[in-house]
Amino acid sequence: MCDQSKTTAIVGLGALGMLYASQITASLGPDNLFFLGDRERIERYQQTPFTINGKPFSFRIEDCTNARPVDFMIVAVKYGALSSALDTMEASVGPDTTILSVMNGIDSEEIIAKRFGREKVLYCIAQGMDAMRFGSSLTYTRPGTLLLGTRTEGQESRLKDLTRYFDRAGVSYTVEAGIVKRLWGKFMLNVGINQTCMAFETNYGGVLTPGEPYDALIGAMKEVIGLSKKEGVHLSEEDMNFYIDLIKTLSPESAPSMRQDGMARRYSEVEMFSGVVRRLAAKHGLTVPVNDMLYEKIKGIEAAYPSLPHD
């Protein structure tokens, strides 16, 4: 089967879902890519005008109960929606479907693999983009890149198939031999930057300015370094500095997804970040005071909302 006829489904019509849909359809056309949803979402989205960088963006959305297995499945939902997303994906995952999670954190791949099989799930890290979605509008100046790697033996052909497809689709990627360490590195970055920006209600520029937010950023990341050593991954402060430098390349006025959630008064992914850090710390008998502080601060912000929409 040629790459142009490969079918791709996306679960999650957020910033990254829209970003990758727009990239793929710009290169390969709209015929073989669609979003998955239930009837309620289909009706709602069909009545919503979406834009990307100010230009109208239209897409197909198919009823998840009638969908057929696809070649590639991109999971781009919020952490709290992952469980329901697995149900949404069910009919579209066949024996030959390759699944890619562009979610943050260190456990979405494992959760997906338990449902659909480890052989179908590749490791993936989405980084370097500054995509921001407010309502039905997405803006970005940097599309970023995907770091890809295999989870188990025998996945090499799946990875080769995916990279050939991305070459044609114009999606930037790098194949990483040490993908597990990079996954933890991105987790460390997000534990620091996402939570600090939300907790202190600031942007990339604000968190990089010397002061309490910057101290929290560094402190939270150092706590992940300590946990990584207990988990056999062994991040270092050199790794931390690499990711700090990465933040400096982003627009200082932009903000990560959790800050966007805060501004939109949505549930954040705090459980995927400091929630996971705190659980791992308890397992290893470590203290994580900075992540404890960020967790409580973010929970307090969310508790003050009059209501918390899920999407």
Side-chain angles (χ1 to χ4, degrees), residues 48-62:
T48 303
F50 289 87
T51 64
I52 296 180
N53 285 339
K55 297 180 180 180
F57 173 67
S58 60
F59 52 86
R60 288 168 54 207
I61 179 166
E62 295 198 0

Side-chain angles (χ1 to χ4, degrees), residues 188 221-222 225 236-244:
M188 171 180 64
M221 293 176 77
K222 285 184 175 179
I225 291 175
S236 67
E237 290 197 17
E238 183 180 353
D239 296 311
M240 180 182 74
N241 292 332
F242 168 83
Y243 286 102
I244 295 294

Side-chain angles (χ1 to χ4, degrees), residues 13 30 52 62 65 113 121 128 133 142-143 166 192 210 218 225-226 228 250 271 295 304 306:
L13 219 168
I52 296 180
E62 295 198 0
T65 60
V121 185
R133 180 192 162 188
R142 294 171 58 88
F166 279 166
I218 299 301
I225 291 175
S228 75
L250 303 176
E271 294 295 345
Y295 183 87

Side-chain angles (χ1 to χ4, degrees), residues 10 51-52 59 84-85 92-94 105 107 112 132 139 167 184 187 213 223 232 238 255 259 266:
I10 300 177
T51 64
I52 296 180
F59 52 86
S84 62
S92 296
V93 177
D107 61 350
I112 296 167
M132 298 176 63
T139 60
D167 286 338
W184 266 81
F187 177 65
E223 289 175 355
E238 183 180 353
R259 174 61 177 142
R266 292 190 298 256

Side-chain angles (χ1 to χ4, degrees), residues 101 226 256:
S101 168

Side-chain angles (χ1 to χ4, degrees), residues 9-13 35-38 41 64-65 73-93 99-101 103 108 111-112 115-116 311:
I10 300 177
V11 183
L13 219 168
F35 286 86
L36 285 168
D38 54 26
R41 278 186 170 81
C64 61
T65 60
M73 176 73 66
I74 298 175
V75 183
V77 298
K78 293 291 186 181
Y79 191 67
L82 181 55
S83 178
S84 62
L86 299 181
D87 294 333
T88 300
M89 295 160 52
E90 183 77 43
S92 296
V93 177
I99 304 172
L100 208 61
S101 168
M103 297 170 60
S108 67
I111 293 170
I112 296 167
R115 177 72 167 265
F116 297 112
D311 58 33

Side-chain angles (χ1 to χ4, degrees), residues 270-284:
V270 66
E271 294 295 345
M272 185 169 66
F273 296 135
S274 55
V276 169
V277 168
R278 284 152 56 99
R279 288 194 292 275
L280 287 176
K283 177 178 118 178
H284 294 294

